[in-house]
Amino acid sequence: MNLRAGNECVDMSDFLSAQKYFLAEFMQIDNWQSNYDLMLSLANGLCIASYVNGDLHTLLACAKEVVQHAQKSVQDKLVAYSMNIKLLVSQGCQAEAINSVLRGLNKLREAFPQSDSNWSDLDAVKNLFFSTTQALEDASNEAIKLCPLLVDKRKMRAMKLMVTTFKNIMQSNLAFTVLISCRMIEITLNYGT
C-alpha cells in the first residue's frame, strides 16, 4: 500500500511524501528473500526520492542495500548505480563516480581500463576517437539507420549505465567521456541500436 502511495506522490512530484511512504514500508518489510520484487521497487523509489530531496544519507544507505541484496541481475541495480553516480558527481567526487561506473560495467563484462592513468594518455584517447570516427565514416548513413534492434540484454544494460554516466560525467572528465562515447558507438555498430 505504501509503495502505491509513494508512486502516486512521485507522479505528483511530491518527493518528500514519496520518500516517507517508501521508507515506511521498506523498514516494515525488510525481507529481501521472501519479498524481493517489492523490496526492489521500494528501494528504487526510495533511492530516487532521496536523491531529489537531497537526503544523501538515505540514498547511500539504500543504494548499498540494493547492491548487496539485488542478485537476480545487474539490471536490478541500475537505478541504485545511477542515483549513486549522480550523487557522487553532484558532490564533486568524479573519480569515485567513475569507479562506480567501472564496477557496474565490469559486472556487465564490458572491459574498460580500471584506472584513470590509462585515460590520461591523450594519444591513446585520440587514437580511440579517430578509430571510432573511421568506423563511422566507413558505415553509410543508411547502414547506420538500418542497424538492427539491440537484443543482447547485457549490452542493453551496459548502454543504459553508459548513458547515465555520459549525462553526469561528461563535463568533468573529457577522456572518460570519449571512452564511453566510443564504446556506445561500437556497441551500436556491432550489436544494434
Side-chain angles (χ1 to χ4, degrees):
M1 187 148 88
N2 283 334
L3 175 62
R4 186 176 325 140
N7 285 331
E8 288 173 6
C9 289
V10 167
D11 290 343
M12 295 184 298
S13 299
D14 181 2
F15 292 96
L16 286 172
S17 296
Q19 183 176 350
K20 290 176 187 174
Y21 284 117
F22 292 136
L23 185 58
E25 191 158 351
F26 188 80
M27 299 301 286
Q28 180 182 351
I29 295 174
D30 194 24
N31 188 334
W32 282 87
Q33 289 182 341
S34 61
N35 295 297
Y36 182 85
D37 291 332
L38 176 60
M39 290 298 289
L40 183 63
S41 296
L42 289 166
N44 285 339
L46 185 55
C47 281
I48 293 167
S50 299
Y51 173 76
V52 172
N53 293 331
D55 184 350
L56 309 181
H57 177 73
T58 302
L59 172 58
L60 287 174
C62 187
K64 183 179 178 182
E65 280 275 319
V66 172
V67 170
Q68 180 181 353
H69 293 287
Q71 297 174 359
K72 286 187 179 178
S73 71
V74 175
Q75 174 73 28
D76 290 351
K77 299 177 185 182
L78 281 179
V79 170
Y81 274 130
S82 297
M83 293 298 107
N84 193 38
I85 291 163
K86 288 180 181 184
L87 168 68
L88 292 168
V89 170
S90 72
Q91 293 182 323
C93 302
Q94 283 79 9
E96 195 174 336
I98 289 170
N99 286 332
S100 179
V101 171
L102 291 173
R103 283 191 301 275
L105 290 171
N106 185 45
K107 289 179 181 181
L108 291 165
R109 291 179 271 160
E110 291 295 323
F112 273 86
Q114 295 297 310
S115 162
D116 69 353
S117 63
N118 294 325
W119 318 321
S120 58
D121 178 359
L122 291 182
D123 287 334
V125 173
K126 282 184 204 176
N127 289 338
L128 177 63
F129 176 77
F130 289 126
S131 67
T132 303
T133 302
Q134 186 61 51
L136 281 171
E137 288 175 359
D138 292 345
S140 69
N141 286 341
E142 196 60 34
I144 293 172
K145 288 178 188 175
L146 295 174
C147 280
L149 289 178
L150 180 61
V151 294
D152 183 320
K153 300 277 189 205
R154 186 173 47 81
K155 295 289 184 192
M156 289 167 82
R157 292 176 187 125
M159 287 288 270
K160 285 181 183 179
L161 186 56
M162 286 187 275
V163 166
T164 297
T165 301
F166 186 84
K167 292 189 301 189
N168 291 289
I169 297 181
M170 69 182 197
Q171 294 178 344
S172 63
N173 191 312
L174 183 58
F176 191 66
T177 302
V178 170
L179 290 173
I180 290 288
S181 300
C182 290
R183 180 60 59 87
M184 291 171 71
I185 291 168
E186 176 189 324
I187 289 172
T188 299
L189 292 175
N190 293 324
Y191 296 93
T193 58

